[in-house]
Amino acid sequence: MRGNLFAVAVDLVVLTVRRDQLCVLLVKRGERPYESHWSLPGGFVQADEDLGDTAARELAAQTGAATQGAVQGHLEQLAGYAAPGRDPRGRVLSVGYLALLPDLPDPEGPASGSAAFLPVEDVYGLAFDHDRILADGVERARAKLEYTTLAAAFCPAEFTVSDLRRVYEAVWRTEIDPRNFQRKVTSTPGFLIPTATRVTGGRGRPPQLFRRGEATTLHPPMLREPTREPANGALAH
Amino acid sequence: MRGNLFAVAVDLVVLTVRRDQLCVLLVKRGERPYESHWSLPGGFVQADEDLGDTAARELAAQTGAATQGAVQGHLEQLAGYAAPGRDPRGRVLSVGYLALLPDLPDPEGPASGSAAFLPVEDVYGLAFDHDRILADGVERARAKLEYTTLAAAFCPAEFTVSDLRRVYEAVWRTEIDPRNFQRKVTSTPGFLIPTATRVTGGRGRPPQLFRRGEATTLHPPMLREPTREPANGALAH
DNA sequence: CAAATAGTGTCTATAAGACATTATCGT
DNA sequence: ACGATAATGTCTTATAGACACTATTTG
């Protein structure tokens, strides 16, 4: 069996929406290389582990396992990264994973004091090629909101249509008409299941609460950019 | 640096459309394990190679390098596969790559006599976990035809709208209305560039020839399944 | 009542689905 | 002329975008 041997790691792009901003979980490295640089959380694949196992294990370790218990959340593979010079220690192939989580009550891990959710807009200069992995993860998330119901993975078990809309707005950095949005998501069968419980305390009319339905795809999709230029046909008179 | 060491391979899902069928390039293994079984072409990542380099090198080796010269064709990464037992020889991580090629005049490689393009419908029982990698590649290709201009990667340098439509029909295994299809693809800016040359010899009106334009995305996408059930809203009166 | 948020309704424009018609070739 | 394939046009329907209006709460 020819070919060189690689260490194989899994790096996580853990995204959440906090204060209407798309944020990514970063850890400050405590060892070389890139000591004291921010990086994506990750770790090496152990014996008898499949890649998804490693990703789930690391995710649970970083977010306090509460994540694992909750039905919420989403975890999927992004891609493999193996450029020859990407790790100064030697040949390391890293498999990126994308995780989407609701905003956690206590986001920081219990043990490590140097982890934080930071707005993706402000993030650059990560260790290794993690800038690239992060960019791929963010783009994957943005694309998937278009044709899947994955936005709900950013929401708690019960949420309102406005909560969901603010997720889209944060991830896409756009504004969405609340009325058209409501029509779209509530008319997609299986996207949102209304719950009996009601909200109290807020200003204004109490919103309906929903939980995730069984639907996974949005058909037809909800597109980020307008279908084409306004195609005036300008009614000049 | 903890973690076990892996051999890292690249396996190719090379797709083309031949005789209105979506076909995949397979090679018959000449050595153990899975000797004389069909498998995806692939090979180990060499020193100083990035994953894409390995994929391009293997693709050129399998398809006679002519592929490489041609501007046509498409190559992208699929995913990493590393289940503990997937290779009896030991721990091997394989990175799947998807290649889309026009139907080659001489598809078989020059050296190896045991390679063939077979219709994906008929393929199962491949070596290792290649059934799974193939399924992922086919699904990726099907999905990408919806929202990209990648179907043209299956066509030669110059092609007709009917050629392109037959690609969609073969990949999706559906029938598409030729008139609506023509309207869709010709009205998408940058998808198809008309050429001066004309076709002779065929029955019927000679078609316009096109080559690929710069556009990479289809906006709005062309969807495989109808937008929803006919959604009668039956006007019973 | 005013302010704030939730939710519905209406109109218009865009694009897809269905399908008729015209165009241009070979025989 | 006829069959075959290519290309255009028309009508209908579904859905997105824009925006007015109604509903239900707190202060």
Side-chain angles (χ1 to χ4, degrees):
Chain A
M1 195 159 75
R2 300 143 301 161
N4 303 271
L5 293 180
F6 289 66
V8 176
V10 164
D11 288 320
L12 298 176
V13 178
V14 182
L15 300 179
T16 194
V17 174
R18 169 173 300 185
R19 286 191 297 274
D20 294 336
Q21 283 188 304
L22 182 64
C23 296
V24 60
L25 177 63
L26 298 178
V27 296
K28 191 158 274 185
R29 286 182 59 82
E31 53 189 353
R32 298 170 48 170
Y34 294 101
E35 186 169 356
S36 80
H37 283 234
W38 289 108
S39 77
L40 299 176
F44 290 99
V45 177
Q46 302 300 326
D48 296 323
E49 264 188 340
D50 199 351
L51 300 171
D53 300 333
T54 308
R57 172 172 58 77
E58 293 287 341
L59 182 61
Q62 289 292 338
T63 60
T67 307
Q68 197 61 348
V71 188
Q72 303 302 113
H74 173 80
L75 184 62
E76 72 175 49
Q77 191 185 125
L78 274 175
Y81 303 85
R86 64 177 294 277
D87 190 319
R89 292 168 294 183
R91 209 71 210 268
V92 180
L93 181 149
S94 186
V95 180
Y97 269 79
L98 173 66
L100 310 183
L101 299 182
D103 192 6
L104 301 175
D106 173 46
E108 322 297 311
S112 72
S114 52
F117 278 103
L118 299 178
V120 295
E121 307 299 322
D122 306 340
V123 173
Y124 64 95
L126 297 180
F128 307 106
D129 50 3
H130 288 187
D131 281 339
R132 172 70 189 285
I133 301 176
L134 172 59
D136 289 352
V138 169
E139 176 51 31
R140 173 79 64 92
R142 286 185 171 142
K144 279 217 156 185
L145 291 209
E146 286 193 312
Y147 58 94
T148 71
T149 61
L150 230 51
F154 286 114
C155 295
E158 299 198 332
F159 54 94
T160 70
V161 172
S162 291
D163 293 336
L164 189 64
R165 177 172 48 82
R166 276 186 280 269
V167 165
Y168 276 91
E169 292 179 331
V171 174
W172 286 348
R173 293 182 60 80
T174 57
E175 292 218 333
I176 300 176
D177 185 290
R179 300 157 296 189
N180 294 336
F181 181 82
Q182 177 122 7
R183 177 181 56 193
K184 174 68 178 176
V185 297
T186 57
S187 71
T188 298
F191 193 173
L192 302 179
I193 310 291
T195 65
T197 50
R198 287 244 147 210
V199 173
T200 87
R203 274 192 295 249
R205 174 174 170 173
Q208 175 68 255
L209 279 176
F210 297 89
R211 52 185 179 80
R212 299 193 58 170
E214 298 297 316
T216 58
T217 60
L218 235 46
H219 218 75
M222 188 172 351
L223 301 176
R224 279 176 275 187
E225 348 170 9
T227 280
R228 199 83 44 86
E229 70 275 19
N232 60 5
L235 15 116
H237 55 81
Chain B
M1 194 158 73
R2 300 144 302 160
N4 303 271
L5 293 180
F6 289 65
V8 176
V10 164
D11 288 320
L12 297 176
V13 178
V14 182
L15 300 179
T16 194
V17 174
R18 171 172 298 185
R19 284 191 297 277
D20 294 337
Q21 283 188 303
L22 181 65
C23 296
V24 60
L25 178 63
L26 298 179
V27 296
K28 191 158 274 184
R29 285 182 61 82
E31 54 189 353
R32 297 169 48 172
Y34 295 100
E35 186 168 357
S36 81
H37 283 234
W38 289 108
S39 77
L40 299 176
F44 290 98
V45 178
Q46 303 299 327
D48 296 323
E49 265 187 339
D50 199 352
L51 300 172
D53 300 332
T54 308
R57 172 172 58 77
E58 293 286 340
L59 182 61
Q62 291 291 337
T63 60
T67 307
Q68 198 60 348
V71 188
Q72 304 300 115
H74 172 80
L75 185 61
E76 72 175 47
Q77 191 186 127
L78 274 175
Y81 303 86
R86 65 177 293 278
D87 190 319
R89 291 168 295 184
R91 209 70 209 268
V92 180
L93 181 148
S94 185
V95 180
Y97 269 78
L98 173 66
L100 310 183
L101 299 182
D103 193 5
L104 300 175
D106 174 46
E108 322 297 311
S112 71
S114 53
F117 278 103
L118 299 179
V120 295
E121 305 300 321
D122 306 340
V123 173
Y124 64 95
L126 296 180
F128 306 106
D129 51 2
H130 288 187
D131 281 339
R132 172 70 189 286
I133 300 176
L134 172 59
D136 289 352
V138 169
E139 176 49 32
R140 173 80 63 94
R142 287 185 170 141
K144 278 217 157 184
L145 291 209
E146 286 194 311
Y147 58 95
T148 71
T149 61
L150 230 51
F154 285 115
C155 296
E158 299 198 333
F159 55 93
T160 70
V161 172
S162 291
D163 292 337
L164 189 64
R165 177 172 47 82
R166 276 186 280 270
V167 165
Y168 275 92
E169 292 178 333
V171 175
W172 286 348
R173 293 182 61 79
T174 57
E175 292 218 333
I176 300 176
D177 185 290
R179 300 157 295 188
N180 295 335
F181 182 82
Q182 177 119 8
R183 177 181 55 193
K184 173 68 177 176
V185 297
T186 58
S187 71
T188 298
F191 192 174
L192 301 178
I193 310 291
T195 66
T197 51
R198 286 243 149 211
V199 173
T200 88
R203 274 192 293 250
R205 173 173 171 176
Q208 175 69 254
L209 279 176
F210 296 89
R211 51 184 180 79
R212 297 193 60 169
E214 298 297 317
T216 57
T217 60
L218 235 46
H219 219 73
M222 188 172 352
L223 301 177
R224 279 175 275 188
E225 350 169 7
T227 280
R228 195 90 40 90
E229 72 272 21
N232 58 4
L235 15 116
H237 55 81

